[in-house]
Amino acid sequence: MNVGSDELPGGVIRLSEDLRILSVNRGMGELVGRAPTELIGESFDVLLSVPSRILFQTNVYPALRAEGRVEEVFLTLATAEGATTPVLLNAVRTAVRTADGERGSYEILMVRIHARARWESELLAVTRAIAKEQAASQRLAAQLATTAADLAARFAEAQRDRAFRDAFVGVISHELRTPITTIYGMSHILRKRHETMTPEVVRQHLRDIESESDRLHRLTEDLLVLSRAEGGRLELADEPVLVGHAVNKAVESERMRAPDRPFLVDVPSGLPIVLGEQLYVEQVVRNFLSNAVKYSPSATPIQVVASVEDDGIAVRVIDAGPGLGDQPPDKLFDLFFRAPDAVRKASGAGIGLFVCRTLIGAMGGRVWAQPAPAAAQGAEFGLWLPGAPDAGLE
Amino acid sequence: MVFAHGFGCDQTLWRFVAPAFEADHRVITFDYVGAGRSDRSAYDPERYSTLDGYARDILEICRALDLRDVMVVAHSVSAVMAVLASIAEPERFSELIFVAPSPRYLDDLPEYRGGFAEADIDGLIDMMDLNAMGWAFLAPIVMGSPDRPELTTGLEATFCSIDPVMARQFARITFRADNRSDLARVTTPSLILQCTQDAVAPVEVGEYMHRQLAGSTFRMIDAICHCPHVSHPEETIGAIRTYLAERQQAGIAAAR
């Protein structure tokens, strides 16, 4: 050590290439609370606190080896009393040429920074607290955003519910009231005047009552499906369905309602079995048929064709009515939708086709509406159901 | 040969060792995302919250360059990344060469002595923050202004540049990770180079790895501290060369 280094206000230390202490000044001894003489020959590590050893070996020493110097490194020294002394360290490596290469040594200067370190630690603590606060408020903001989005979604859902309820009430008041009024009126007249009526008039009134009851019955069935679907409770059985049988039954019941209508039925034998519920398939075909009856001229025929298609069964109901009009065909299957032409032509709830789509969809199939094939006018309403895997034929 | 740097610096630390292998091997050095000149915008705090995220850096480089028969030379905590990468795609790697490795830095007494206690790691992170004092204040501003890249240029010009925020996170996961149980799943042959006076990865840790890694070779090298590839490059190069020559001999003998 040079003359006078003991008077320096700070630690001066010289290390060998393998980081052994070659010399220290008095100031260095004071920094660690040990006599300078007892440090000679020790490894530099013993002067450092454990975290400082990591920082020194992973950052400072490699930089010193590679660059030859480091400056202003904050470290803590381990004192003999088990405390730590914060210091700033500057170091340089010097090398001398020897016969077998190069031998280096390190000159290190350390200055105690007690007051500064305290201030900086406090500043750091404040900075960290601010960062933590910021992170917390960011989380809070994110939470608020989520809550707001959630509320908006619930509000939209509530609005949809209300719109649904309004439409539903409208349909009920009209579509249920009309047949009930007719039934009530007719039975009232029959009770009061049946004795003075001709048998033909009585029969006519009874037919009207029957037909309106039938209409009520069908509407109730559709409403039942609708309410289950809206509540998410539409669960269909996975039973084997004989589609041909369902089609024939639907046609029979429609024939009763419209005895004068020609129905041209083409259901081949040997159709594949599908899985679902027989009664629901029947309900869908009946809905298609009653629409065809309602919207096409009374003398025109209605065609019903079942066929094997894409490993499943397609059923088509084709009428010779005015066709589908201008609206997109898919829209016809929307709940409460009624085409402007249809509204003029007949009463209806706008529920039937929605129920058809819901039921067939629940059985894994699809429905469609399109212009009647190979005809100047008319509409085709169809459904397709997938064949049951490994199931036989009807 | 893919050289993976450890905690504390970047790929420049390999500059004393890697060129020695260029004559016989394709040599690749790289920076993990967050270190050196890596693209800071690629830093995903979520991904880099575990060492596995860094292991994926190795795998992605291997895939992008379509590397096979890869020898990974991994320093310090990078040994864990190399272990995880070799477990994920064992067919890609032929040798794992660990320089001062450790699978866990914290003590788990009585059965395992990693060298450190929780408080030491807290102290290290405090010290890193205090050394990057300016950064502790600037970071939020710099992070928040991508339109002012000049704020980061000063940092990138310095030696061993590593973004202090990412460095602190790297320190946190490095020193708290425990990958001891992964060692038994390694099937790639490996070399462990152990230094003396290594305060970060003591000799007992190197010996522990040797016991846990099937097909591993353990060598003490005449180098002090934790970075022999910087402080003692000749010894490091020599030890790797000797090992590779032995492996080649063994391979020839086996082929006969």
Side-chain angles (χ1 to χ4, degrees):
Chain A
M1 198 69 18
N2 294 333
V3 178
S5 70
D6 276 348
E7 277 67 54
L8 286 176
V12 179
I13 186 164
R14 186 150 182 265
L15 304 177
S16 65
E17 184 85 283
D18 66 352
L19 304 177
R20 298 264 156 205
I21 298 169
L22 297 175
S23 63
V24 291
N25 72 343
R26 205 167 58 198
M28 186 66 227
E30 283 166 8
L31 288 176
V32 293
R34 291 170 70 177
T37 44
E38 68 177 80
L39 295 175
I40 307 293
E42 290 248 42
S43 163
F44 178 60
D45 267 358
V46 303
L47 301 181
L48 301 174
S49 69
V50 175
S52 297
R53 283 179 202 167
I54 304 177
L55 194 71
F56 183 79
Q57 291 210 0
T58 56
N59 288 259
V60 183
Y61 181 58
L64 202 47
R65 279 303 298 236
E67 301 288 286
R69 66 188 305 130
V70 295
E71 284 179 345
E72 282 186 72
V73 179
F74 172 83
L75 286 176
T76 53
L77 301 177
T79 70
E81 295 83 37
T84 56
T85 307
V87 294
L88 271 189
L89 171 151
N90 280 4
V92 291
R93 177 176 189 267
T94 50
V96 287
R97 292 221 156 269
T98 60
D100 51 345
E102 184 189 87
R103 200 176 65 239
S105 60
Y106 302 93
E107 313 287 345
I108 297 174
L109 175 67
M110 296 193 208
V111 181
R112 175 166 36 203
I113 51 160
H114 254 319
R116 242 191 108 128
R118 206 171 47 237
W119 280 111
E120 288 187 347
S121 296
E122 281 171 19
L123 268 175
L124 186 65
V126 171
T127 314
R128 283 177 180 172
I130 291 171
K132 217 168 137 183
E133 287 290 331
Q134 275 177 339
S137 38
Q138 265 170 7
R139 268 198 306 278
L140 198 63
Q143 265 173 12
L144 278 174
T146 317
T147 314
D150 195 38
L151 277 176
R154 271 197 249 172
F155 182 68
E157 198 182 332
Q159 273 194 322
R160 268 199 308 278
D161 282 355
R162 200 167 49 221
F164 176 79
R165 238 190 350 261
D166 290 350
F168 190 77
V169 168
V171 166
I172 296 290
S173 57
H174 182 257
E175 287 302 308
L176 289 183
R177 198 194 274 154
T178 312
I180 288 171
T181 310
T182 311
I183 293 165
Y184 179 73
M186 294 294 166
S187 28
H188 185 74
I189 291 169
L190 279 173
R191 185 172 61 78
K192 283 210 149 170
R193 306 192 196 147
H194 67 97
E195 281 166 359
T196 61
M197 283 175 170
T198 64
E200 183 44 41
V201 173
V202 169
R203 254 199 302 280
Q204 181 55 46
H205 284 346
L206 285 172
R207 258 204 302 277
D208 285 349
I209 289 173
E210 189 187 7
S211 122
E212 290 302 307
S213 306
D214 181 54
R215 195 169 138 191
L216 263 184
H217 173 69
R218 289 176 185 221
L219 187 62
T220 316
E221 278 185 332
D222 282 350
L223 284 174
L224 207 60
V225 172
L226 179 65
S227 83
R228 283 188 186 147
E230 280 295 314
R233 286 173 288 113
L234 185 67
E235 280 169 22
L236 266 55
D238 243 2
E239 295 156 358
V241 175
L242 308 176
V243 175
H245 193 62
V247 169
N248 286 329
K249 274 195 80 175
V251 171
E252 279 324 302
S253 97
E254 214 49 41
R255 269 208 178 102
M256 304 261 287
R257 297 178 76 205
D260 302 332
R261 216 25 118 89
F263 287 92
L264 311 175
V265 182
D266 177 10
V267 178
S269 58
L271 289 173
I273 305 254
V274 303
L275 294 182
E277 279 192 41
Q278 181 96 14
L279 281 175
Y280 283 144
V281 176
E282 213 177 298
Q283 186 176 340
V284 171
V285 178
R286 217 168 46 219
N287 273 340
F288 284 175
L289 286 171
S290 66
N291 275 347
V293 169
K294 212 151 76 172
Y295 297 113
S296 62
S298 53
T300 56
I302 292 166
Q303 244 184 300
V304 187
V305 184
S307 58
V308 179
E309 223 174 272
D310 299 335
D311 297 327
I313 301 179
V315 177
R316 294 177 160 80
V317 174
I318 302 160
D319 66 44
L324 297 174
D326 294 332
Q327 64 281 336
D330 282 352
K331 206 150 170 51
L332 295 173
F333 293 95
D334 286 353
L335 184 57
F336 301 136
F337 176 82
R338 297 208 62 220
D341 295 348
V343 174
R344 280 195 293 276
K345 246 186 155 79
S347 74
I351 294 176
L353 287 176
F354 173 80
V355 164
C356 293
R357 188 177 65 186
T358 305
L359 287 173
I360 296 300
M363 287 185 254
R366 58 172 193 275
V367 292
W368 66 86
Q370 60 184 35
Q377 57 174 14
E380 167 185 314
F381 283 82
L383 67 88
W384 177 87
L385 284 167
D390 305 323
L393 302 175
E394 259 182 50
Chain B
M1 279 176 106
V2 175
F3 289 82
H5 70 81
F7 165 75
C9 199
D10 59 27
Q11 61 172 309
T12 58
L13 280 198
W14 287 113
R15 67 187 156 169
F16 308 105
V17 167
F21 295 92
E22 277 169 359
D24 308 316
H25 298 85
R26 180 173 177 194
V27 167
I28 289 158
T29 60
F30 72 96
D31 293 322
Y32 287 112
V33 172
R37 295 212 209 167
S38 63
D39 179 2
R40 304 280 144 111
S41 67
Y43 189 81
D44 169 6
E46 177 83 21
R47 165 170 171 166
Y48 296 106
S49 66
T50 65
L51 294 178
D52 213 40
Y54 289 98
R56 276 162 59 198
D57 280 7
I58 298 182
L59 288 171
E60 282 166 15
I61 287 165
C62 289
R63 282 185 212 132
L65 300 175
D66 193 27
L67 306 178
R68 291 168 200 288
D69 286 329
V70 179
M71 294 183 209
V72 186
V73 184
H75 175 235
S76 183
V77 68
S78 254
V80 170
M81 278 74 116
V83 159
L84 295 174
S86 83
I87 291 169
E89 292 183 21
E91 66 288 348
R92 201 182 278 284
F93 300 95
S94 61
E95 295 286 349
L96 305 177
I97 295 165
F98 302 135
V99 180
S102 174
R104 175 176 163 99
Y105 293 91
L106 291 177
D107 290 337
D108 183 11
L109 300 174
E111 63 263 27
Y112 180 83
R113 186 178 288 278
F116 302 101
E118 276 284 345
D120 298 331
I121 306 309
D122 292 340
L124 171 69
I125 287 164
D126 281 354
M127 211 170 281
M128 288 172 68
D129 277 351
L130 285 166
N131 271 304
M133 200 62 194
W135 257 89
F137 294 96
L138 268 179
I141 304 160
V142 176
M143 300 294 221
S145 26
D147 51 324
R148 294 190 61 198
E150 71 274 12
L151 281 174
T152 56
T153 49
L155 184 85
E156 272 156 17
T158 61
F159 170 77
C160 266
S161 61
I162 176 160
D163 181 313
V165 175
M166 300 174 193
R168 182 211 288 169
Q169 173 68 359
F170 192 28
R172 200 170 272 150
I173 62 168
T174 292
F175 289 103
R176 300 216 159 96
D178 183 359
N179 294 82
R180 285 175 292 171
S181 61
D182 291 312
L183 301 178
R185 296 162 60 206
V186 174
T187 52
T188 314
S190 57
L191 168 67
I192 297 159
L193 291 183
Q194 177 69 48
C195 308
T196 56
Q197 298 178 43
D198 188 339
V200 183
V203 178
E204 303 94 282
V205 170
E207 288 169 344
Y208 173 87
M209 282 198 65
H210 178 43
R211 282 197 303 278
Q212 302 297 316
L213 280 167
S216 66
T217 303
F218 179 84
R219 292 279 152 79
M220 291 294 299
I221 56 170
D222 190 14
I224 55 160
C225 285
H226 187 58
C227 298
H229 51 317
V230 183
S231 61
H232 301 76
E234 290 306 322
E235 288 82 351
T236 310
I237 293 165
I240 296 174
R241 280 219 173 107
T242 308
Y243 171 75
L244 293 180
E246 286 168 7
R247 294 281 304 157
Q248 204 171 15
Q249 285 296 320
I252 293 167
R256 277 184 193 146

